[in-house]
Amino acid sequence: MEGWDTSTKSTLTQIPLLSAKAGPRDGASWTQRLKEEYKSLIAYTQMNKSNDNDWFHISAANPEGTRWTGKCWYVHNLLKYEFDLQFDIPVTYPSTAPELELPQLDGKTQKMYRGGKICLTVHFKPLWAKNCPRFGIAHALCLGLAPWLAAEVPILVDSGMIKHKDDSSSSAES
């Protein structure tokens, strides 16, 4: 955690770590892992809400917990930009991090590939590998999606690649 700002360190230490090293093909072990994932996500969501920093909501889109959908948002220049969020749990999870997708932004930035998947290769994936199986979905959101939104949304807005939903010239981008 060296090199991280105090806020990131504080947030990360409050997200419960996971212990079950199980993926979608591991039966009862996967059920245990899902319980840990939910506990971690609930803790992270409650922490964000208590700090007035609510910026996403997600839920499992299927009973197996292998497909997740929701929304995430970022406030820039006092305007809220909201995006659909989706991802699948890879069969090699937790060894492989989920690929977070923002389909509405597909093709709008070079830090994205194949259907709106955000590129986390350089910074996040090595961190995930180092912390497997302790990291889970909440950690992917905290250390992957949140910094990506903070870095990319202002650039996309300022360059005109995305418009606010209240902008009359907008095409339902946000």
Side-chain angles (χ1 to χ4, degrees):
M1 288 198 286
E2 62 188 53
W4 291 353
D5 65 271
T6 308
S7 176
T8 302
K9 285 181 188 178
S10 174
T11 299
L12 188 58
T13 59
Q14 294 178 60
I15 300 174
L17 296 173
L18 293 81
S19 60
K21 186 173 184 176
R25 295 181 179 173
D26 294 326
S29 297
W30 173 242
T31 302
Q32 178 59 37
R33 173 73 185 206
L34 270 178
K35 289 178 184 177
E36 292 180 12
E37 293 282 1
Y38 278 114
K39 287 179 184 177
S40 185
L41 279 166
I42 290 167
Y44 183 41
T45 301
Q46 288 174 337
M47 177 185 50
N48 283 341
K49 288 180 186 253
S50 69
N51 293 328
D52 197 25
N53 188 29
D54 191 26
W55 63 274
F56 73 90
H57 62 82
I58 62 168
S59 61
N62 63 13
E64 299 81 23
T66 58
R67 177 89 176 137
W68 293 74
T69 59
K71 297 274 187 191
C72 62
W73 52 92
Y74 186 81
V75 176
H76 177 65
N77 292 336
L78 302 177
L79 295 173
K80 180 180 175 182
Y81 295 86
E82 186 172 275
F83 310 100
D84 292 331
L85 169 63
Q86 61 189 33
F87 58 93
D88 293 309
I89 299 295
V91 293
T92 54
Y93 189 82
S95 297
T96 305
E99 293 180 311
L100 307 174
E101 302 172 42
L102 304 173
Q104 294 159 283
L105 299 182
D106 186 21
K108 296 190 184 281
T109 173
Q110 292 180 350
K111 294 181 181 171
M112 183 169 274
Y113 63 101
R114 295 180 309 198
K117 294 178 181 175
I118 66 173
C119 183
L120 300 173
T121 305
V122 175
H123 302 289
F124 181 68
K125 291 206 177 178
L127 183 62
W128 180 277
K130 182 180 176 182
N131 288 283
C132 175
R134 296 180 309 255
F135 276 8
I137 296 168
H139 299 88
L141 296 173
C142 175
L143 297 173
L145 184 59
W148 191 93
L149 288 170
E152 292 299 308
V153 171
I155 293 168
L156 292 169
V157 170
D158 293 346
S159 69
M161 294 298 289
I162 59 175
K163 306 248 184 251
H164 190 263
K165 63 183 173 190
D166 293 338
D167 184 345
S168 60
S169 63
S170 175
S171 59
E173 300 288 336
S174 52

